[in-house]
Each structure stands twice: as C-alpha cells, then as structure tokens.
Amino acid sequence: MKPQQNQFFKSLSFLSLLTFLVSCGSEKETDKAIPDAPIYTLVFLDKTQSVHIDKNYVNDKYRQALTDIVETNMRNKGDKLEVYFIHENTSKARALSLTVRTEKDNLEGVNATDREGIETAFQLSLQKEKGIYLRQLLAKLNQQNTGASNQSTDIWASLPVIAKAGESGSEVKVYYFSDMVESVKGADRRDFHIKPPKNDSEAEADAKADTKKLDQYAIGSPQVTIVSPFEPTASTKENNPHVTHYWQTLFQELGGVSVEEL
C-alpha cells in the first residue's frame, strides 16, 4: 500500500471514531430526563354580591376544590399560585402570590436506600409547605368584600392576567370560582344580570363579537376550569347554561381553549 493511501485510511478511521464518540455523547444527552415546566396556577375568586360564599354547599365545594388544586399543582420548586378577586377592578386585585420553595436534593449517583430517604424528606417538607399555602388560600376564600367594588363583575379583566402568566413559559392553569355572570356598565360591555344570552346562538354571536375587542390579549392555551357555585338542583334561570356557552365560545375563539365546568 502506498504511503499516501495508508495515511488516507488512518485519517478515515480517526474520523469514524470521532463521529461515533460524538453520536454516543449526543445520545447520552438526549437520554437525560427533561424536567417538567413549572405550573403557574391562577385562581379567580368572585367577590361580588351574586356569589354567596357563606352558604354551606358553596363553601364546602370551594374548599375542596382549592385543596385539590394545591395538592395537584404545587408539586415542585418554582410552581406558582396567584389569587385574584373578581369584582369591579379584577386586574388590580391580586390578593395572594405563592411559590413552592422546597427543593429535592440531587439524586444522581445515590443508592436506593438514600434515594428513598431523600424522597421522603422532600415529600414531608412539601406537604408542610402546602398546608401553609392552603390555610392562606382558605382565608382569602372567606374574606368578605363589603366595598363598592362588589357591584360589578369584570371577568374580561382576567384575560390580561392570563396573558401575562403565559409569558413565563410555565404551564398555565386557570380556575374561576364564579357564576361567570359578567356585569359591567358601559355601551361596549356585557351585563348578563340585565341582558343574558337567551340561547346558544345568541351566546356564540356575543362571544365572537367580543373576541374582536379582546384578541389583543395573547392568552396562549391555558387549562381553564369554572368552579360554579350552583347546586345540581339549580334551575336554568339561576344557572343559565347559555352564559357558560358564551365563555366556552369566547375562550375557543381566543386561543382554541376548552373550558371544563365543575
């Protein structure tokens, strides 16, 4: 074999080895677990005259829902929960901001016994933190609003709050503890106490018209849940299904978001 050819094959073998090592390294990086995105929870508590938090059914339902939210959504360091009051000035009514501080120790290279101990210590610390947060949440749930702001229900004002949360890159979950009866005075606003939608067609038409006013808020694709204050035996006059359909249509139009009602 000529010296030039020998050198060529040596170079080729070196390049092949280098490519193999790089690809192995890439696979190793790919195999690493990607941490879940933090959860950003927004809780909107209706503090207007139409929602009676002092009723046993409403209070029990809302307490249980808040307990479930803390348990499910506050799982890792960085998970965040904010509470806003729904009333005349919703977007300025942030009442509480909580962030999980408890951090799990690094488990890399840890044996099974120590791993179990670290996991147990983390869960104990996290549950203690959750207990503190839940007490603060329930205090906000039972806080009365006797001021003039309880005369209006500005749910539209929650949209810029949701849009801002979406900018964080977190997984956004939104909960409305409300009858969802938008009620704001003004020529270009909705007052469902005075003029609720009479049927689903009217609800859809209203929602699509309002989307043009509200699509400036890029809300992304949050998970939206309405926790209604109505008992299962409530009449359609009290729990108007067309109001719910309005909100389902509005969120669908704004970001393809589906709305669950509890």
Side-chain angles (χ1 to χ4, degrees):
M1 184 181 292
K2 293 180 180 180
Q4 293 92 335
Q5 289 178 315
N6 190 33
Q7 185 62 37
F8 170 77
F9 284 116
K10 282 182 179 178
S11 299
L12 188 61
S13 298
F14 175 75
L15 287 172
S16 299
L17 178 61
L18 187 62
T19 303
F20 172 76
L21 291 173
V22 169
S23 65
C24 287
S26 299
E27 286 174 11
K28 202 169 186 179
E29 290 297 319
T30 307
D31 289 341
K32 286 184 179 178
I34 300 172
D36 293 334
I39 297 175
Y40 197 141
T41 303
L42 290 171
V43 171
F44 293 97
L45 296 176
D46 198 324
K47 295 294 181 179
T48 60
Q49 287 184 324
S50 61
V51 175
H52 302 286
I53 201 67
D54 53 331
K55 286 187 176 180
N56 288 338
Y57 173 81
V58 179
N59 200 275
D60 289 347
K61 181 178 181 178
Y62 279 10
R63 285 173 65 91
Q64 186 58 56
L66 289 171
T67 302
D68 292 344
I69 288 168
V70 170
E71 188 59 37
T72 305
N73 295 358
M74 307 293 274
R75 301 178 303 185
N76 296 296
K77 183 179 180 182
D79 288 343
K80 189 171 186 176
L81 187 152
E82 290 184 341
V83 175
Y84 283 77
F85 289 160
I86 293 174
H87 51 48
E88 183 185 40
N89 193 20
T90 301
S91 63
K92 300 292 185 182
R94 191 174 76 176
L96 193 62
S97 182
L98 307 167
T99 305
V100 174
R101 306 292 181 191
T102 303
E103 185 174 14
K104 188 186 295 185
D105 290 340
N106 191 349
L107 297 175
E108 189 175 346
V110 175
N111 64 46
T113 303
D114 291 344
R115 181 184 294 266
E116 186 177 344
I118 290 170
E119 183 66 42
T120 300
F122 169 72
Q123 290 300 333
L124 286 171
S125 180
L126 182 62
Q127 287 304 126
K128 184 178 178 181
E129 196 172 359
K130 284 181 179 181
I132 295 168
Y133 291 164
L134 183 59
R135 286 195 293 274
Q136 291 177 287
L137 261 177
L138 295 178
K140 294 302 177 183
L141 171 66
N142 292 311
Q143 185 175 325
Q144 298 294 316
N145 177 20
T146 56
S149 65
N150 70 12
Q151 302 293 314
S152 297
T153 309
D154 192 356
I155 300 171
W156 281 10
S158 66
L159 296 175
V161 177
I162 296 171
K164 187 175 180 182
E167 293 172 1
S168 67
S170 301
E171 179 186 356
V172 180
K173 297 186 178 184
V174 181
Y175 300 85
Y176 290 100
F177 288 71
S178 172
D179 58 10
M180 301 305 284
V181 178
E182 179 83 0
S183 180
V184 179
K185 303 292 185 287
D188 61 342
R189 296 304 302 261
R190 299 285 172 196
D191 192 336
F192 289 151
H193 281 304
I194 295 173
K195 191 177 181 295
K198 297 183 181 68
N199 49 54
D200 280 354
S201 296
E202 187 174 307
E204 285 182 22
D206 288 349
K208 288 177 181 179
D210 293 342
T211 300
K212 296 172 184 174
K213 307 169 193 171
L214 300 169
D215 63 3
Q216 59 181 301
Y217 304 118
I219 64 168
S221 300
Q223 176 186 305
V224 178
T225 304
I226 297 171
V227 189
S228 76
F230 304 113
E231 296 193 43
T233 54
S235 66
T236 55
K237 184 178 180 181
E238 185 182 5
N239 182 12
N240 186 337
H242 310 307
V243 168
T244 302
H245 192 67
Y246 165 87
W247 291 108
Q248 289 171 334
T249 304
L250 185 75
F251 276 103
Q252 185 66 35
E253 292 291 316
L254 286 174
V257 179
S258 61
V259 177
E260 180 184 5
E261 185 175 18
L262 299 179

